Amino acid sequence: MICFLVSLKPAPPPTNPPLMKNYILIAISVFAIAGAQAQVKVTQGNNSPEFKPVKQPRFVSFANDNANYFIVKRSERMEKINTLIVAGKNGDITTATDLKINRGTFNNESEISSVQVVGNNVVAFVEGKSKKDGKNTLTARAVDNNGTVSTTDIPVGSIDFTKMSNAGHWYTALTPDKKHVAVVGQLPHEKDMPDKFQYFLLDDNLKETAKGQFSFAGYTKEISIWNFLASDKGDLYIISEEFDKSYKYPVVYEYLAASSSANIIPVIIADPDLRVLNYITSVDKAGELIVAGYSQQKKAFNVNDIPAVGSWYFNSSMY
C-alpha cells in the first residue's frame, strides 16, 4: 500500500526571504526500510587496467554510440582533479587517466572546472583567473581518446572581479538530449546585494545559441551551489541547501527561459516529524526537475542507525 501526502502550504523560507512560489511535496510511505549504506562491486573487461577511486570522489557517467564515459571528481591540496575512464562497448576500459593542463601561476591560474560528453565529444571546461586582468574566463577544450586535453581554447564567457578570493564561479550542465550544454557564471558576491548570474547555452559544436542574465530579487544571502541542471528548453535549475535547525533540505533556484522569471523553491517535507535523509536530482525529457529521496523520523535520528521510513518526491511542474 502506498499513501500520498500532499501539501499546498508554502515552505518556511530561508533567512532573508525573496518572493517564493507555493510547492507541492508528496511523501510516499512504504512498508520497507532501506539501508543507508551498500557495497559496490565494479566489473571490468579482461584487458582493463585497475582503477581505485579515493577520498569519496564524485562520480558522473555518460554514454554515446562510441563508448561509455565515467568522470571521477575529487579535490587534493586545493586542486580539482578529474579522472576520465572510457569503456568500450565490449566492457574493456581503454582509458583511465587524470585530465591535466598547465595550471599557470598563483595570480594567473587555470583549472578544469567540469567535464562533459557532448554528442560524441569529450569536452573539458577550463576556468582561468587572472589577477592582472581582473577576469575569470571560461573556455572549452577538446579531450582525445587518450585523455589528452587540447591547448586550443574555445571562448565561452568572462566574469570581472577585483579580488582573487571573490572571483566568481562557473558551472556547466548537459541537457537531457545530450546535445546542448548550459553554462552559468555566478558573479562575485556583493554585500547586501542579490547574487547575479550570467548564462550561455551552447550546441553540440559549442556554438552559442542563447545568453542572458538573471538574479533573485530581494534575496541577498550568497548562494552556495551544490548542483546545476538544465532542460532542453533552456530552463536552469541551481540546487543549494539550507538548514532547519540541524536538518538539511534542498533549495531550488530556478530560472525559466520562456518567461525570464527567477524563483526560489525550498523543498521541505510537510510532516514536521520527518526530515530529508538524502536525495538525488534529475531533469526529465519534458524539462521538469525531479528531486526525490528517502525520509527519516527526526526523533529516531542516530549516527549509528539511520533507518529510512519512506520516500519523498518533488516535481517542478507541481507548483
Side-chain angles (χ1 to χ4, degrees):
M1 179 180 177
I2 299 178
C3 177
F4 293 84
L5 304 177
V6 182
S7 172
L8 293 176
K9 183 179 179 181
T15 53
N16 212 350
L19 296 175
M20 301 181 187
K21 286 189 174 183
N22 289 356
Y23 71 93
I24 300 176
L25 187 61
I26 300 177
I28 306 174
S29 300
V30 295
F31 293 101
I33 295 178
Q37 299 179 354
Q39 297 293 323
V40 177
K41 181 179 180 181
V42 178
T43 303
Q44 58 188 31
N46 294 330
N47 300 318
S48 303
E50 182 179 7
F51 173 77
K52 294 181 179 180
V54 295
K55 293 189 177 181
Q56 297 181 340
R58 294 184 61 192
F59 176 87
V60 294
S61 62
F62 307 88
N64 58 27
D65 294 338
N66 297 333
N68 299 303
Y69 303 84
F70 307 91
I71 312 297
V72 182
K73 305 178 182 181
R74 68 187 192 277
S75 295
E76 293 183 5
R77 300 181 183 90
M78 303 298 291
E79 179 184 358
K80 294 180 182 178
I81 300 174
N82 294 268
T83 300
L84 172 66
I85 303 172
V86 183
K89 294 301 181 179
N90 61 358
D92 285 353
I93 294 178
T94 58
T95 301
T97 185
D98 291 344
L99 301 183
K100 298 180 180 180
I101 61 171
N102 183 349
R103 300 195 64 224
T105 61
F106 179 72
N107 290 322
N108 188 16
E109 57 192 43
S110 298
E111 68 176 358
I112 297 175
S113 63
S114 62
V115 180
Q116 304 287 351
V117 178
V118 190
N120 290 323
N121 301 309
V122 181
V123 180
F125 288 89
V126 178
E127 187 171 342
K129 300 174 185 176
S130 170
K131 182 177 181 179
K132 178 181 177 181
D133 298 333
K135 291 188 179 296
N136 180 354
T137 60
L138 187 75
T139 60
R141 300 186 187 181
V143 180
D144 67 19
N145 292 333
N146 297 317
T148 302
V149 182
S150 172
T151 56
T152 301
D153 287 306
I154 301 174
V156 177
S158 178
I159 295 173
D160 294 329
F161 68 86
T162 56
K163 295 181 179 180
M164 288 286 284
S165 59
N166 186 24
H169 305 281
W170 290 101
Y171 303 90
T172 66
L174 189 68
T175 57
D177 66 6
K178 302 180 182 179
K179 296 180 180 179
H180 299 84
V181 177
V183 178
V184 158
Q186 183 180 21
L187 276 59
H189 180 71
E190 299 179 36
K191 185 178 180 180
D192 299 327
M193 296 292 292
D195 275 356
K196 297 178 181 178
F197 297 86
Q198 58 183 11
Y199 71 89
F200 305 89
L201 300 179
L202 311 177
D203 63 16
D204 54 354
N205 293 313
L206 303 181
K207 301 295 184 182
E208 181 184 296
T209 61
K211 65 179 181 179
Q213 296 185 349
F214 62 92
S215 63
F216 299 92
Y219 187 74
T220 59
K221 182 179 178 180
E222 184 173 5
I223 298 172
S224 298
I225 299 178
W226 291 82
N227 199 3
F228 169 55
L229 303 95
S231 74
D232 297 339
K233 299 179 293 185
D235 296 333
L236 309 176
Y237 302 101
I238 293 170
I239 311 297
S240 185
E241 291 184 345
E242 292 285 350
F243 284 85
D244 174 18
K245 296 181 180 178
S246 60
Y247 303 113
K248 289 193 302 184
Y249 60 90
V251 179
V252 178
Y253 295 84
E254 169 193 72
Y255 175 77
L256 300 178
S259 59
S260 298
S261 61
N263 310 294
I264 301 180
I265 312 161
V267 181
I268 303 176
I269 297 177
D271 188 332
D273 293 327
L274 296 179
R275 57 158 286 195
V276 172
L277 175 59
N278 54 25
Y279 65 91
I280 58 173
T281 57
S282 182
V283 174
D284 63 19
K285 292 183 179 180
E288 298 165 355
L289 175 69
I290 308 297
V291 187
Y294 287 113
S295 59
Q296 177 191 23
Q297 289 281 354
K298 286 184 178 179
K299 61 183 179 181
F301 177 72
N302 186 301
V303 294
N304 297 316
D305 182 19
I306 309 179
V309 297
S311 58
W312 58 271
Y313 173 87
F314 169 83
N315 186 311
S316 60
S317 66
M318 291 179 172
Y319 64 93

